[in-house]
Amino acid sequence: MYNPYNLPSNYNNSANQPITHNQSNPFYEQYTYERVLPPAEPQSLMSSAEHTKQLLEDAVIINETFRTSPAFALQLTTAAKNSDHQTVHYLINNLIKNRALVSFSPGGISINLIPLNESNNCCYIIMFLNWKEAF
């Protein structure tokens, strides 16, 4: 059985030259192939960018609410401190048009913004905001 890693019995590399493959090697052709790539689809990128724009608008709404509403910030951090997942999810998802997957810890919140249509997995945005000093 042929092993491509075994050198031929008449091989002599006394000059310590690097071993190169060339087309005179009978086994060279069996390992070459031409990659066939699908055509570029700029329309998919453009559609993804449009959905991302909507997600960014939601991110701005969330950010502005956090930044400008002390009452909202207090309600959110209190619910998170008490591990009230339902209230935290409600508060975030009630602000936006798309969907948000929310997780939080005593020190911050992670918000994954994804398109409203569940079958559309073109894009997402992750926000992480701290409310506690880093250790």
PDB file of all heavy atoms in Angstrom, residues 16-54:
ATOM      1  N   ASN A  16      20.274  18.485   1.872  1.00  0.00           N
ATOM      2  CA  ASN A  16      19.281  18.954   2.836  1.00  0.00           C
ATOM      3  C   ASN A  16      18.354  20.016   2.238  1.00  0.00           C
ATOM      4  O   ASN A  16      18.057  21.025   2.854  1.00  0.00           O
ATOM      5  CB  ASN A  16      19.945  19.502   4.104  1.00  0.00           C
ATOM      6  CG  ASN A  16      20.579  18.401   4.917  1.00  0.00           C
ATOM      7  OD1 ASN A  16      20.035  17.286   4.969  1.00  0.00           O
ATOM      8  ND2 ASN A  16      21.697  18.683   5.528  1.00  0.00           N
ATOM      9  N   GLN A  17      17.927  19.778   1.016  1.00  0.00           N
ATOM     10  CA  GLN A  17      16.992  20.676   0.347  1.00  0.00           C
ATOM     11  C   GLN A  17      15.570  20.348   0.806  1.00  0.00           C
ATOM     12  O   GLN A  17      15.258  19.209   1.140  1.00  0.00           O
ATOM     13  CB  GLN A  17      17.085  20.495  -1.174  1.00  0.00           C
ATOM     14  CG  GLN A  17      18.440  20.859  -1.743  1.00  0.00           C
ATOM     15  CD  GLN A  17      18.725  22.332  -1.560  1.00  0.00           C
ATOM     16  OE1 GLN A  17      17.852  23.166  -1.742  1.00  0.00           O
ATOM     17  NE2 GLN A  17      19.947  22.657  -1.179  1.00  0.00           N
ATOM     18  N   PRO A  18      14.687  21.356   0.874  1.00  0.00           N
ATOM     19  CA  PRO A  18      13.305  21.063   1.242  1.00  0.00           C
ATOM     20  C   PRO A  18      12.649  20.173   0.207  1.00  0.00           C
ATOM     21  O   PRO A  18      12.951  20.257  -0.986  1.00  0.00           O
ATOM     22  CB  PRO A  18      12.640  22.442   1.293  1.00  0.00           C
ATOM     23  CG  PRO A  18      13.531  23.346   0.532  1.00  0.00           C
ATOM     24  CD  PRO A  18      14.903  22.759   0.604  1.00  0.00           C
ATOM     25  N   ILE A  19      11.807  19.299   0.677  1.00  0.00           N
ATOM     26  CA  ILE A  19      11.104  18.395  -0.227  1.00  0.00           C
ATOM     27  C   ILE A  19       9.940  19.157  -0.837  1.00  0.00           C
ATOM     28  O   ILE A  19       9.131  19.748  -0.126  1.00  0.00           O
ATOM     29  CB  ILE A  19      10.595  17.163   0.540  1.00  0.00           C
ATOM     30  CG1 ILE A  19      11.780  16.403   1.144  1.00  0.00           C
ATOM     31  CG2 ILE A  19       9.769  16.263  -0.357  1.00  0.00           C
ATOM     32  CD1 ILE A  19      11.376  15.309   2.096  1.00  0.00           C
ATOM     33  N   THR A  20       9.868  19.178  -2.143  1.00  0.00           N
ATOM     34  CA  THR A  20       8.778  19.862  -2.825  1.00  0.00           C
ATOM     35  C   THR A  20       8.042  18.857  -3.689  1.00  0.00           C
ATOM     36  O   THR A  20       8.614  17.862  -4.148  1.00  0.00           O
ATOM     37  CB  THR A  20       9.305  21.005  -3.703  1.00  0.00           C
ATOM     38  OG1 THR A  20      10.206  20.455  -4.667  1.00  0.00           O
ATOM     39  CG2 THR A  20      10.015  22.062  -2.883  1.00  0.00           C
ATOM     40  N   HIS A  21       6.764  19.130  -3.870  1.00  0.00           N
ATOM     41  CA  HIS A  21       5.970  18.290  -4.751  1.00  0.00           C
ATOM     42  C   HIS A  21       5.981  18.931  -6.125  1.00  0.00           C
ATOM     43  O   HIS A  21       5.908  20.136  -6.260  1.00  0.00           O
ATOM     44  CB  HIS A  21       4.537  18.175  -4.245  1.00  0.00           C
ATOM     45  CG  HIS A  21       4.453  17.471  -2.927  1.00  0.00           C
ATOM     46  ND1 HIS A  21       4.581  16.126  -2.805  1.00  0.00           N
ATOM     47  CD2 HIS A  21       4.280  17.948  -1.675  1.00  0.00           C
ATOM     48  CE1 HIS A  21       4.473  15.782  -1.534  1.00  0.00           C
ATOM     49  NE2 HIS A  21       4.291  16.874  -0.820  1.00  0.00           N
ATOM     50  N   ASN A  22       6.059  18.108  -7.111  1.00  0.00           N
ATOM     51  CA  ASN A  22       5.980  18.643  -8.463  1.00  0.00           C
ATOM     52  C   ASN A  22       5.051  17.758  -9.274  1.00  0.00           C
ATOM     53  O   ASN A  22       4.661  16.666  -8.845  1.00  0.00           O
ATOM     54  CB  ASN A  22       7.360  18.769  -9.109  1.00  0.00           C
ATOM     55  CG  ASN A  22       8.081  17.439  -9.157  1.00  0.00           C
ATOM     56  OD1 ASN A  22       7.461  16.416  -9.398  1.00  0.00           O
ATOM     57  ND2 ASN A  22       9.379  17.451  -8.925  1.00  0.00           N
ATOM     58  N   GLN A  23       4.736  18.214 -10.434  1.00  0.00           N
ATOM     59  CA  GLN A  23       3.758  17.488 -11.218  1.00  0.00           C
ATOM     60  C   GLN A  23       4.320  16.222 -11.844  1.00  0.00           C
ATOM     61  O   GLN A  23       3.585  15.439 -12.419  1.00  0.00           O
ATOM     62  CB  GLN A  23       3.173  18.415 -12.269  1.00  0.00           C
ATOM     63  CG  GLN A  23       2.341  19.497 -11.628  1.00  0.00           C
ATOM     64  CD  GLN A  23       1.660  20.380 -12.640  1.00  0.00           C
ATOM     65  OE1 GLN A  23       1.847  20.221 -13.839  1.00  0.00           O
ATOM     66  NE2 GLN A  23       0.857  21.303 -12.152  1.00  0.00           N
ATOM     67  N   SER A  24       5.611  15.994 -11.721  1.00  0.00           N
ATOM     68  CA  SER A  24       6.156  14.748 -12.255  1.00  0.00           C
ATOM     69  C   SER A  24       5.887  13.590 -11.293  1.00  0.00           C
ATOM     70  O   SER A  24       6.032  12.440 -11.665  1.00  0.00           O
ATOM     71  CB  SER A  24       7.658  14.893 -12.514  1.00  0.00           C
ATOM     72  OG  SER A  24       8.331  15.114 -11.292  1.00  0.00           O
ATOM     73  N   ASN A  25       5.505  13.907 -10.070  1.00  0.00           N
ATOM     74  CA  ASN A  25       5.150  12.866  -9.113  1.00  0.00           C
ATOM     75  C   ASN A  25       3.808  12.268  -9.526  1.00  0.00           C
ATOM     76  O   ASN A  25       2.817  12.984  -9.669  1.00  0.00           O
ATOM     77  CB  ASN A  25       5.061  13.487  -7.717  1.00  0.00           C
ATOM     78  CG  ASN A  25       4.736  12.473  -6.644  1.00  0.00           C
ATOM     79  OD1 ASN A  25       4.201  11.407  -6.919  1.00  0.00           O
ATOM     80  ND2 ASN A  25       5.044  12.823  -5.410  1.00  0.00           N
ATOM     81  N   PRO A  26       3.726  10.965  -9.695  1.00  0.00           N
ATOM     82  CA  PRO A  26       2.475  10.367 -10.181  1.00  0.00           C
ATOM     83  C   PRO A  26       1.326  10.507  -9.177  1.00  0.00           C
ATOM     84  O   PRO A  26       0.171  10.425  -9.559  1.00  0.00           O
ATOM     85  CB  PRO A  26       2.843   8.906 -10.393  1.00  0.00           C
ATOM     86  CG  PRO A  26       4.041   8.668  -9.553  1.00  0.00           C
ATOM     87  CD  PRO A  26       4.764   9.963  -9.494  1.00  0.00           C
ATOM     88  N   PHE A  27       1.611  10.739  -7.923  1.00  0.00           N
ATOM     89  CA  PHE A  27       0.548  10.836  -6.928  1.00  0.00           C
ATOM     90  C   PHE A  27       0.119  12.282  -6.677  1.00  0.00           C
ATOM     91  O   PHE A  27      -0.814  12.535  -5.948  1.00  0.00           O
ATOM     92  CB  PHE A  27       0.993  10.206  -5.609  1.00  0.00           C
ATOM     93  CG  PHE A  27       1.276   8.743  -5.756  1.00  0.00           C
ATOM     94  CD1 PHE A  27       2.567   8.274  -5.836  1.00  0.00           C
ATOM     95  CD2 PHE A  27       0.233   7.838  -5.848  1.00  0.00           C
ATOM     96  CE1 PHE A  27       2.829   6.933  -5.989  1.00  0.00           C
ATOM     97  CE2 PHE A  27       0.483   6.496  -6.004  1.00  0.00           C
ATOM     98  CZ  PHE A  27       1.779   6.036  -6.071  1.00  0.00           C
ATOM     99  N   TYR A  28       0.801  13.220  -7.317  1.00  0.00           N
ATOM    100  CA  TYR A  28       0.500  14.638  -7.126  1.00  0.00           C
ATOM    101  C   TYR A  28      -0.911  14.974  -7.598  1.00  0.00           C
ATOM    102  O   TYR A  28      -1.652  15.663  -6.930  1.00  0.00           O
ATOM    103  CB  TYR A  28       1.532  15.485  -7.871  1.00  0.00           C
ATOM    104  CG  TYR A  28       1.309  16.968  -7.744  1.00  0.00           C
ATOM    105  CD1 TYR A  28       1.686  17.633  -6.579  1.00  0.00           C
ATOM    106  CD2 TYR A  28       0.731  17.709  -8.761  1.00  0.00           C
ATOM    107  CE1 TYR A  28       1.497  18.991  -6.440  1.00  0.00           C
ATOM    108  CE2 TYR A  28       0.536  19.063  -8.634  1.00  0.00           C
ATOM    109  CZ  TYR A  28       0.924  19.698  -7.472  1.00  0.00           C
ATOM    110  OH  TYR A  28       0.724  21.043  -7.341  1.00  0.00           O
ATOM    111  N   GLU A  29      -1.289  14.457  -8.724  1.00  0.00           N
ATOM    112  CA  GLU A  29      -2.572  14.796  -9.321  1.00  0.00           C
ATOM    113  C   GLU A  29      -3.749  14.331  -8.474  1.00  0.00           C
ATOM    114  O   GLU A  29      -4.782  14.966  -8.436  1.00  0.00           O
ATOM    115  CB  GLU A  29      -2.679  14.200 -10.729  1.00  0.00           C
ATOM    116  CG  GLU A  29      -1.751  14.832 -11.740  1.00  0.00           C
ATOM    117  CD  GLU A  29      -2.030  16.315 -11.919  1.00  0.00           C
ATOM    118  OE1 GLU A  29      -3.205  16.712 -11.973  1.00  0.00           O
ATOM    119  OE2 GLU A  29      -1.051  17.081 -11.991  1.00  0.00           O
ATOM    120  N   GLN A  30      -3.607  13.216  -7.774  1.00  0.00           N
ATOM    121  CA  GLN A  30      -4.753  12.715  -7.027  1.00  0.00           C
ATOM    122  C   GLN A  30      -5.078  13.582  -5.805  1.00  0.00           C
ATOM    123  O   GLN A  30      -6.153  13.481  -5.253  1.00  0.00           O
ATOM    124  CB  GLN A  30      -4.549  11.270  -6.600  1.00  0.00           C
ATOM    125  CG  GLN A  30      -3.627  11.084  -5.414  1.00  0.00           C
ATOM    126  CD  GLN A  30      -3.388   9.626  -5.097  1.00  0.00           C
ATOM    127  OE1 GLN A  30      -3.381   8.797  -5.982  1.00  0.00           O
ATOM    128  NE2 GLN A  30      -3.209   9.324  -3.841  1.00  0.00           N
ATOM    129  N   TYR A  31      -4.162  14.428  -5.372  1.00  0.00           N
ATOM    130  CA  TYR A  31      -4.408  15.262  -4.204  1.00  0.00           C
ATOM    131  C   TYR A  31      -4.745  16.704  -4.552  1.00  0.00           C
ATOM    132  O   TYR A  31      -4.944  17.509  -3.673  1.00  0.00           O
ATOM    133  CB  TYR A  31      -3.197  15.240  -3.265  1.00  0.00           C
ATOM    134  CG  TYR A  31      -2.975  13.872  -2.680  1.00  0.00           C
ATOM    135  CD1 TYR A  31      -1.869  13.116  -3.033  1.00  0.00           C
ATOM    136  CD2 TYR A  31      -3.886  13.326  -1.796  1.00  0.00           C
ATOM    137  CE1 TYR A  31      -1.663  11.855  -2.504  1.00  0.00           C
ATOM    138  CE2 TYR A  31      -3.708  12.071  -1.268  1.00  0.00           C
ATOM    139  CZ  TYR A  31      -2.590  11.331  -1.619  1.00  0.00           C
ATOM    140  OH  TYR A  31      -2.415  10.094  -1.096  1.00  0.00           O
ATOM    141  N   THR A  32      -4.781  17.042  -5.816  1.00  0.00           N
ATOM    142  CA  THR A  32      -5.123  18.406  -6.191  1.00  0.00           C
ATOM    143  C   THR A  32      -6.593  18.479  -6.563  1.00  0.00           C
ATOM    144  O   THR A  32      -7.167  17.514  -7.061  1.00  0.00           O
ATOM    145  CB  THR A  32      -4.272  18.887  -7.373  1.00  0.00           C
ATOM    146  OG1 THR A  32      -4.522  18.044  -8.490  1.00  0.00           O
ATOM    147  CG2 THR A  32      -2.804  18.910  -7.034  1.00  0.00           C
ATOM    148  N   TYR A  33      -7.174  19.602  -6.279  1.00  0.00           N
ATOM    149  CA  TYR A  33      -8.559  19.829  -6.650  1.00  0.00           C
ATOM    150  C   TYR A  33      -8.776  21.324  -6.816  1.00  0.00           C
ATOM    151  O   TYR A  33      -8.045  22.142  -6.285  1.00  0.00           O
ATOM    152  CB  TYR A  33      -9.529  19.257  -5.616  1.00  0.00           C
ATOM    153  CG  TYR A  33      -9.394  19.881  -4.250  1.00  0.00           C
ATOM    154  CD1 TYR A  33     -10.197  20.953  -3.879  1.00  0.00           C
ATOM    155  CD2 TYR A  33      -8.460  19.407  -3.338  1.00  0.00           C
ATOM    156  CE1 TYR A  33     -10.067  21.537  -2.634  1.00  0.00           C
ATOM    157  CE2 TYR A  33      -8.323  19.993  -2.088  1.00  0.00           C
ATOM    158  CZ  TYR A  33      -9.126  21.050  -1.754  1.00  0.00           C
ATOM    159  OH  TYR A  33      -9.004  21.629  -0.512  1.00  0.00           O
ATOM    160  N   GLU A  34      -9.786  21.654  -7.529  1.00  0.00           N
ATOM    161  CA  GLU A  34     -10.119  23.048  -7.734  1.00  0.00           C
ATOM    162  C   GLU A  34     -11.347  23.372  -6.899  1.00  0.00           C
ATOM    163  O   GLU A  34     -12.355  22.670  -6.963  1.00  0.00           O
ATOM    164  CB  GLU A  34     -10.431  23.310  -9.205  1.00  0.00           C
ATOM    165  CG  GLU A  34     -10.719  24.746  -9.506  1.00  0.00           C
ATOM    166  CD  GLU A  34     -10.967  24.979 -10.986  1.00  0.00           C
ATOM    167  OE1 GLU A  34     -10.432  24.225 -11.804  1.00  0.00           O
ATOM    168  OE2 GLU A  34     -11.702  25.913 -11.297  1.00  0.00           O
ATOM    169  N   ARG A  35     -11.231  24.421  -6.073  1.00  0.00           N
ATOM    170  CA  ARG A  35     -12.374  24.817  -5.240  1.00  0.00           C
ATOM    171  C   ARG A  35     -13.394  25.540  -6.098  1.00  0.00           C
ATOM    172  O   ARG A  35     -13.062  26.461  -6.838  1.00  0.00           O
ATOM    173  CB  ARG A  35     -11.923  25.737  -4.123  1.00  0.00           C
ATOM    174  CG  ARG A  35     -11.122  25.036  -3.084  1.00  0.00           C
ATOM    175  CD  ARG A  35     -10.659  25.946  -2.001  1.00  0.00           C
ATOM    176  NE  ARG A  35     -11.734  26.813  -1.524  1.00  0.00           N
ATOM    177  CZ  ARG A  35     -11.576  27.777  -0.639  1.00  0.00           C
ATOM    178  NH1 ARG A  35     -10.397  28.014  -0.138  1.00  0.00           N
ATOM    179  NH2 ARG A  35     -12.580  28.514  -0.252  1.00  0.00           N
ATOM    180  N   VAL A  36     -14.623  25.106  -5.992  1.00  0.00           N
ATOM    181  CA  VAL A  36     -15.711  25.774  -6.692  1.00  0.00           C
ATOM    182  C   VAL A  36     -16.545  26.477  -5.638  1.00  0.00           C
ATOM    183  O   VAL A  36     -17.167  25.834  -4.796  1.00  0.00           O
ATOM    184  CB  VAL A  36     -16.568  24.767  -7.484  1.00  0.00           C
ATOM    185  CG1 VAL A  36     -17.709  25.472  -8.176  1.00  0.00           C
ATOM    186  CG2 VAL A  36     -15.700  24.001  -8.470  1.00  0.00           C
ATOM    187  N   LEU A  37     -16.509  27.787  -5.670  1.00  0.00           N
ATOM    188  CA  LEU A  37     -17.229  28.583  -4.689  1.00  0.00           C
ATOM    189  C   LEU A  37     -18.540  29.078  -5.279  1.00  0.00           C
ATOM    190  O   LEU A  37     -18.622  29.342  -6.478  1.00  0.00           O
ATOM    191  CB  LEU A  37     -16.378  29.772  -4.253  1.00  0.00           C
ATOM    192  CG  LEU A  37     -15.037  29.436  -3.617  1.00  0.00           C
ATOM    193  CD1 LEU A  37     -14.241  30.702  -3.373  1.00  0.00           C
ATOM    194  CD2 LEU A  37     -15.242  28.681  -2.323  1.00  0.00           C
ATOM    195  N   PRO A  38     -19.557  29.203  -4.440  1.00  0.00           N
ATOM    196  CA  PRO A  38     -20.824  29.740  -4.956  1.00  0.00           C
ATOM    197  C   PRO A  38     -20.650  31.209  -5.323  1.00  0.00           C
ATOM    198  O   PRO A  38     -19.748  31.875  -4.822  1.00  0.00           O
ATOM    199  CB  PRO A  38     -21.782  29.576  -3.776  1.00  0.00           C
ATOM    200  CG  PRO A  38     -20.921  29.514  -2.572  1.00  0.00           C
ATOM    201  CD  PRO A  38     -19.617  28.910  -3.015  1.00  0.00           C
ATOM    202  N   PRO A  39     -21.513  31.702  -6.188  1.00  0.00           N
ATOM    203  CA  PRO A  39     -21.389  33.121  -6.556  1.00  0.00           C
ATOM    204  C   PRO A  39     -21.671  34.017  -5.349  1.00  0.00           C
ATOM    205  O   PRO A  39     -22.400  33.643  -4.436  1.00  0.00           O
ATOM    206  CB  PRO A  39     -22.453  33.302  -7.636  1.00  0.00           C
ATOM    207  CG  PRO A  39     -23.393  32.167  -7.458  1.00  0.00           C
ATOM    208  CD  PRO A  39     -22.625  31.043  -6.845  1.00  0.00           C
ATOM    209  N   ALA A  40     -21.068  35.181  -5.347  1.00  0.00           N
ATOM    210  CA  ALA A  40     -21.285  36.151  -4.269  1.00  0.00           C
ATOM    211  C   ALA A  40     -22.734  36.611  -4.298  1.00  0.00           C
ATOM    212  O   ALA A  40     -23.332  36.757  -5.363  1.00  0.00           O
ATOM    213  CB  ALA A  40     -20.347  37.334  -4.445  1.00  0.00           C
ATOM    214  N   GLU A  41     -23.300  36.823  -3.116  1.00  0.00           N
ATOM    215  CA  GLU A  41     -24.689  37.265  -3.016  1.00  0.00           C
ATOM    216  C   GLU A  41     -24.761  38.568  -2.223  1.00  0.00           C
ATOM    217  O   GLU A  41     -25.021  38.552  -1.022  1.00  0.00           O
ATOM    218  CB  GLU A  41     -25.535  36.193  -2.339  1.00  0.00           C
ATOM    219  CG  GLU A  41     -25.653  34.915  -3.140  1.00  0.00           C
ATOM    220  CD  GLU A  41     -26.577  33.910  -2.475  1.00  0.00           C
ATOM    221  OE1 GLU A  41     -27.487  34.330  -1.728  1.00  0.00           O
ATOM    222  OE2 GLU A  41     -26.379  32.733  -2.719  1.00  0.00           O
ATOM    223  N   PRO A  42     -24.543  39.695  -2.878  1.00  0.00           N
ATOM    224  CA  PRO A  42     -24.584  40.970  -2.152  1.00  0.00           C
ATOM    225  C   PRO A  42     -25.972  41.271  -1.594  1.00  0.00           C
ATOM    226  O   PRO A  42     -26.104  41.979  -0.604  1.00  0.00           O
ATOM    227  CB  PRO A  42     -24.148  41.996  -3.194  1.00  0.00           C
ATOM    228  CG  PRO A  42     -24.393  41.345  -4.498  1.00  0.00           C
ATOM    229  CD  PRO A  42     -24.249  39.875  -4.288  1.00  0.00           C
ATOM    230  N   GLN A  43     -27.011  40.716  -2.193  1.00  0.00           N
ATOM    231  CA  GLN A  43     -28.374  40.975  -1.712  1.00  0.00           C
ATOM    232  C   GLN A  43     -28.551  40.433  -0.290  1.00  0.00           C
ATOM    233  O   GLN A  43     -29.219  41.058   0.533  1.00  0.00           O
ATOM    234  CB  GLN A  43     -29.407  40.339  -2.665  1.00  0.00           C
ATOM    235  CG  GLN A  43     -30.811  40.810  -2.419  1.00  0.00           C
ATOM    236  CD  GLN A  43     -30.963  42.324  -2.599  1.00  0.00           C
ATOM    237  OE1 GLN A  43     -30.356  42.927  -3.472  1.00  0.00           O
ATOM    238  NE2 GLN A  43     -31.768  42.935  -1.755  1.00  0.00           N
ATOM    239  N   SER A  44     -27.925  39.291   0.026  1.00  0.00           N
ATOM    240  CA  SER A  44     -28.006  38.737   1.377  1.00  0.00           C
ATOM    241  C   SER A  44     -27.340  39.669   2.379  1.00  0.00           C
ATOM    242  O   SER A  44     -27.856  39.885   3.483  1.00  0.00           O
ATOM    243  CB  SER A  44     -27.335  37.365   1.441  1.00  0.00           C
ATOM    244  OG  SER A  44     -28.028  36.439   0.660  1.00  0.00           O
ATOM    245  N   LEU A  45     -26.187  40.204   2.021  1.00  0.00           N
ATOM    246  CA  LEU A  45     -25.497  41.150   2.894  1.00  0.00           C
ATOM    247  C   LEU A  45     -26.337  42.406   3.097  1.00  0.00           C
ATOM    248  O   LEU A  45     -26.458  42.907   4.219  1.00  0.00           O
ATOM    249  CB  LEU A  45     -24.132  41.514   2.314  1.00  0.00           C
ATOM    250  CG  LEU A  45     -23.353  42.569   3.086  1.00  0.00           C
ATOM    251  CD1 LEU A  45     -23.027  42.092   4.498  1.00  0.00           C
ATOM    252  CD2 LEU A  45     -22.089  42.937   2.334  1.00  0.00           C
ATOM    253  N   MET A  46     -26.928  42.898   2.037  1.00  0.00           N
ATOM    254  CA  MET A  46     -27.753  44.100   2.133  1.00  0.00           C
ATOM    255  C   MET A  46     -28.976  43.861   3.024  1.00  0.00           C
ATOM    256  O   MET A  46     -29.340  44.709   3.847  1.00  0.00           O
ATOM    257  CB  MET A  46     -28.165  44.558   0.736  1.00  0.00           C
ATOM    258  CG  MET A  46     -26.982  45.028  -0.109  1.00  0.00           C
ATOM    259  SD  MET A  46     -27.378  45.242  -1.845  1.00  0.00           S
ATOM    260  CE  MET A  46     -28.445  46.654  -1.782  1.00  0.00           C
ATOM    261  N   SER A  47     -29.588  42.698   2.897  1.00  0.00           N
ATOM    262  CA  SER A  47     -30.737  42.353   3.735  1.00  0.00           C
ATOM    263  C   SER A  47     -30.320  42.236   5.196  1.00  0.00           C
ATOM    264  O   SER A  47     -31.015  42.725   6.098  1.00  0.00           O
ATOM    265  CB  SER A  47     -31.351  41.038   3.242  1.00  0.00           C
ATOM    266  OG  SER A  47     -32.360  40.616   4.107  1.00  0.00           O
ATOM    267  N   SER A  48     -29.184  41.596   5.437  1.00  0.00           N
ATOM    268  CA  SER A  48     -28.669  41.471   6.796  1.00  0.00           C
ATOM    269  C   SER A  48     -28.381  42.842   7.391  1.00  0.00           C
ATOM    270  O   SER A  48     -28.674  43.100   8.568  1.00  0.00           O
ATOM    271  CB  SER A  48     -27.410  40.607   6.791  1.00  0.00           C
ATOM    272  OG  SER A  48     -26.927  40.417   8.081  1.00  0.00           O
ATOM    273  N   ALA A  49     -27.831  43.743   6.594  1.00  0.00           N
ATOM    274  CA  ALA A  49     -27.543  45.099   7.065  1.00  0.00           C
ATOM    275  C   ALA A  49     -28.832  45.840   7.416  1.00  0.00           C
ATOM    276  O   ALA A  49     -28.874  46.594   8.393  1.00  0.00           O
ATOM    277  CB  ALA A  49     -26.756  45.865   6.000  1.00  0.00           C
ATOM    278  N   GLU A  50     -29.890  45.604   6.658  1.00  0.00           N
ATOM    279  CA  GLU A  50     -31.176  46.250   6.957  1.00  0.00           C
ATOM    280  C   GLU A  50     -31.740  45.747   8.286  1.00  0.00           C
ATOM    281  O   GLU A  50     -32.212  46.525   9.106  1.00  0.00           O
ATOM    282  CB  GLU A  50     -32.182  45.986   5.824  1.00  0.00           C
ATOM    283  CG  GLU A  50     -33.505  46.683   6.012  1.00  0.00           C
ATOM    284  CD  GLU A  50     -33.388  48.204   6.049  1.00  0.00           C
ATOM    285  OE1 GLU A  50     -32.552  48.768   5.341  1.00  0.00           O
ATOM    286  OE2 GLU A  50     -34.175  48.828   6.799  1.00  0.00           O
ATOM    287  N   HIS A  51     -31.656  44.432   8.519  1.00  0.00           N
ATOM    288  CA  HIS A  51     -32.114  43.874   9.802  1.00  0.00           C
ATOM    289  C   HIS A  51     -31.239  44.372  10.950  1.00  0.00           C
ATOM    290  O   HIS A  51     -31.737  44.662  12.042  1.00  0.00           O
ATOM    291  CB  HIS A  51     -32.126  42.348   9.758  1.00  0.00           C
ATOM    292  CG  HIS A  51     -33.217  41.790   8.919  1.00  0.00           C
ATOM    293  ND1 HIS A  51     -34.539  41.832   9.285  1.00  0.00           N
ATOM    294  CD2 HIS A  51     -33.186  41.170   7.711  1.00  0.00           C
ATOM    295  CE1 HIS A  51     -35.279  41.268   8.347  1.00  0.00           C
ATOM    296  NE2 HIS A  51     -34.484  40.860   7.385  1.00  0.00           N
ATOM    297  N   THR A  52     -29.949  44.480  10.705  1.00  0.00           N
ATOM    298  CA  THR A  52     -29.034  44.968  11.735  1.00  0.00           C
ATOM    299  C   THR A  52     -29.364  46.411  12.099  1.00  0.00           C
ATOM    300  O   THR A  52     -29.282  46.805  13.265  1.00  0.00           O
ATOM    301  CB  THR A  52     -27.575  44.847  11.267  1.00  0.00           C
ATOM    302  OG1 THR A  52     -27.308  43.475  10.972  1.00  0.00           O
ATOM    303  CG2 THR A  52     -26.599  45.320  12.326  1.00  0.00           C
ATOM    304  N   LYS A  53     -29.755  47.198  11.112  1.00  0.00           N
ATOM    305  CA  LYS A  53     -30.142  48.591  11.379  1.00  0.00           C
ATOM    306  C   LYS A  53     -31.306  48.633  12.368  1.00  0.00           C
ATOM    307  O   LYS A  53     -31.317  49.443  13.301  1.00  0.00           O
ATOM    308  CB  LYS A  53     -30.515  49.287  10.072  1.00  0.00           C
ATOM    309  CG  LYS A  53     -30.921  50.724  10.252  1.00  0.00           C
ATOM    310  CD  LYS A  53     -31.288  51.345   8.917  1.00  0.00           C
ATOM    311  CE  LYS A  53     -31.783  52.768   9.144  1.00  0.00           C
ATOM    312  NZ  LYS A  53     -32.279  53.363   7.907  1.00  0.00           N
ATOM    313  N   GLN A  54     -32.282  47.749  12.185  1.00  0.00           N
ATOM    314  CA  GLN A  54     -33.424  47.689  13.104  1.00  0.00           C
ATOM    315  C   GLN A  54     -32.974  47.273  14.507  1.00  0.00           C
ATOM    316  O   GLN A  54     -33.457  47.819  15.507  1.00  0.00           O
ATOM    317  CB  GLN A  54     -34.478  46.718  12.568  1.00  0.00           C
ATOM    318  CG  GLN A  54     -35.099  47.161  11.267  1.00  0.00           C
ATOM    319  CD  GLN A  54     -35.929  46.069  10.611  1.00  0.00           C
ATOM    320  OE1 GLN A  54     -36.108  44.992  11.163  1.00  0.00           O
ATOM    321  NE2 GLN A  54     -36.434  46.349   9.424  1.00  0.00           N
TER     322      GLN A  54
END
